[in-house]
Amino acid sequence: MATIKDVAKLAGVSPSTVSRVIAGSNRISLETKNRVQRAMEQLNYVPNAIARSLARSHTHTIGFALSRRADQAFSNPFFSEVMRGMSTVAQARGYNILLSISLNPEDELSKCLQLVRERRVDGLILSTSRVKDPLIAALSEEEAPFVVIGRCMERPVLSVNNDNVKAGYNATVHLLEEGYREIAYLSGASDLVVTIDRMNGYKQALIERGLPLVEERIGVADFSEQDGYEALCQMKERGVSLDAVVASDDLLALGALQFAERYGLRVPEDLGVVGFNDTPLMVYTHPPLTSVRILSYELGVEAMDLLIDALENPDKKRLKKEIVLPSELIVRGSSRRRGKAE
């Protein structure tokens, strides 16, 4: 049985062009339409009736794309809060959410394009962005409605973000003001824009204070407690000295507390620790964790509202609006050497 890809190959066009011809798009030239229709006839290709219906109407379903292992996705409270915010808006505005979890960016690209081309979703919310992100480029080429949680470095897109450079800067300045000088940074994957932005804030704070940037104090890890712990242990084994850690996620910060326990370091006297996201349970760590409060729930609310507004008012989609939410450093016992911790 012929597929849409077979039709596209014979007609010399992309599968998305075949989909647009089936949907009756007026953006396709008459010559291309005729070529596609001849290929469909030659291959006896008959579009699925349900697919034709979806192509010409709204599904009232929004896709949420996560590229990470399922156990990591659901063990990180950040994504649960984002989902809670998205769900609140979707329920109120009559939309459903389809969750797409991928093991890697390549899988994510394939799955998201399939969802868009098969018209199974009206639009997509991307949980993160990467440098030269192929998914953002592909969705832009497809003219598919989407919103990025984060920011795109290469082109203007609809997005909801925090000022992560400022947040990374503030976290590092706080540690400097508490008397720490050999501050390590625990990073997520090096191609994640959020990781780069927070690290740039960290570097900016050190440069302004005239302190050297020691690349050996920057560790790359997955967003998990174990990876944070192992990254710091590797620094220690290489002889890298450090007296504080800025962790780009609270789970990494928990790994820093585990590291301190293994090596008999007192927190905050011997090792200061600052995390990101201010996960609710961090107040119960020993000592309570200083963390940058990211408005995770509000990120989900704003992302869903922004996408639905663009779907229901196409002119808004063309504005390429970026919403930047505030963050706040919540200082607790893990980093406060001077005076009583809050």
Side-chain angles (χ1 to χ4, degrees):
M1 182 179 294
T3 68
I4 197 169
K5 291 182 180 179
D6 297 326
V7 174
K9 184 177 180 180
L10 182 59
V13 298
S14 67
S16 61
T17 298
V18 177
S19 295
R20 291 187 183 113
V21 171
I22 295 170
S25 171
N26 57 12
R27 297 192 298 111
I28 307 298
S29 69
L30 180 59
E31 179 187 354
T32 300
K33 285 182 181 178
N34 290 338
R35 195 161 71 248
V36 170
Q37 287 165 353
R38 284 196 299 270
M40 290 168 62
E41 291 172 3
Q42 186 174 337
L43 294 170
N44 293 319
Y45 175 77
V46 179
N48 181 278
I50 296 175
R52 285 201 306 269
S53 173
L54 291 177
R56 293 172 180 168
S57 63
H58 293 295
T59 65
H60 281 84
T61 299
I62 302 298
F64 181 48
L66 276 167
S67 177
R68 61 191 62 234
R69 294 202 320 263
D71 58 334
Q72 288 185 349
F74 293 109
S75 65
N76 193 325
F78 172 80
F79 294 112
S80 300
E81 280 296 283
V82 169
M83 279 287 291
R84 189 168 69 89
M86 290 168 45
S87 300
T88 300
V89 174
Q91 186 177 57
R93 300 187 65 168
Y95 282 76
N96 299 307
I97 298 175
L98 187 155
L99 180 61
S100 175
I101 303 179
S102 309
L103 285 173
N104 53 60
E106 294 76 21
D107 188 31
E108 181 184 39
L109 173 61
S110 175
K111 285 183 176 180
C112 287
L113 287 181
Q114 184 177 8
L115 289 175
V116 167
R117 288 169 177 170
E118 293 180 359
R119 303 299 196 271
R120 293 169 59 190
V121 296
D122 292 339
L124 287 165
I125 295 176
L126 311 185
S127 62
T128 191
S129 60
R130 297 174 176 81
V131 179
K132 297 180 180 178
D133 198 315
L135 177 55
I136 291 176
L139 292 176
S140 298
E141 178 68 23
E142 294 275 337
E143 298 186 5
F146 69 96
V147 168
V148 175
I149 295 179
R151 72 180 183 92
C152 178
M153 298 178 71
E154 291 79 32
R155 67 185 75 205
V157 299
L158 292 174
S159 62
V160 183
N161 195 21
N162 301 105
D163 188 341
N164 286 299
V165 176
K166 182 178 180 181
Y169 174 86
N170 289 343
T172 309
V173 166
H174 162 68
L175 289 170
L176 292 169
E177 290 177 345
E178 292 295 320
Y180 300 100
R181 289 296 178 267
E182 298 179 326
I183 304 171
Y185 177 77
L186 285 182
S187 158
S190 58
D191 65 337
L192 293 178
V193 175
V194 62
T195 286
I196 295 169
D197 286 349
R198 290 174 182 175
M199 183 164 58
N200 284 340
Y202 156 83
K203 290 180 176 180
Q204 180 185 340
L206 294 180
I207 291 170
E208 285 186 4
R209 298 299 176 99
L211 296 173
L213 290 176
V214 181
E215 291 299 324
E216 289 78 11
R217 289 198 187 112
I218 297 176
V220 178
D222 283 339
F223 290 134
S224 71
E225 179 177 349
Q226 184 64 25
D227 272 51
Y229 167 75
E230 290 177 358
L232 291 174
C233 287
Q234 289 168 11
M235 287 187 198
K236 181 79 171 177
E237 291 165 4
R238 293 196 304 267
V240 178
S241 59
L242 57 101
D243 62 3
V245 177
V246 174
S248 58
D249 189 276
D250 283 343
L251 295 179
L252 292 173
L254 289 179
L257 295 180
Q258 184 182 349
F259 165 82
E261 183 176 357
R262 171 180 171 178
Y263 287 99
L265 302 174
R266 297 170 300 162
V267 179
E269 293 86 353
D270 303 322
L271 185 73
V273 181
V274 176
F276 264 84
N277 294 337
D278 192 34
T279 307
L281 291 178
M282 295 305 104
V283 72
Y284 299 110
T285 61
H286 182 71
L289 182 69
T290 295
S291 185
V292 178
R293 179 171 292 167
I294 301 297
L295 302 178
S296 310
Y297 174 83
E298 288 78 4
L299 282 171
V301 167
E302 295 289 350
M304 185 61 75
D305 259 333
L306 187 59
L307 181 55
I308 294 176
D309 284 347
L311 291 170
E312 296 181 352
N313 304 279
D315 287 341
K316 290 188 176 182
K317 176 186 172 185
R318 288 190 283 270
L319 295 177
K320 306 303 181 187
K321 181 179 180 181
E322 179 184 18
I323 297 172
V324 179
L325 299 181
S327 60
E328 179 185 5
L329 181 66
I330 307 299
V331 179
R332 300 191 182 97
S334 70
S335 67
R336 174 156 286 186
R337 277 174 164 174
R338 302 176 182 180
K340 186 179 179 182
E342 294 175 0

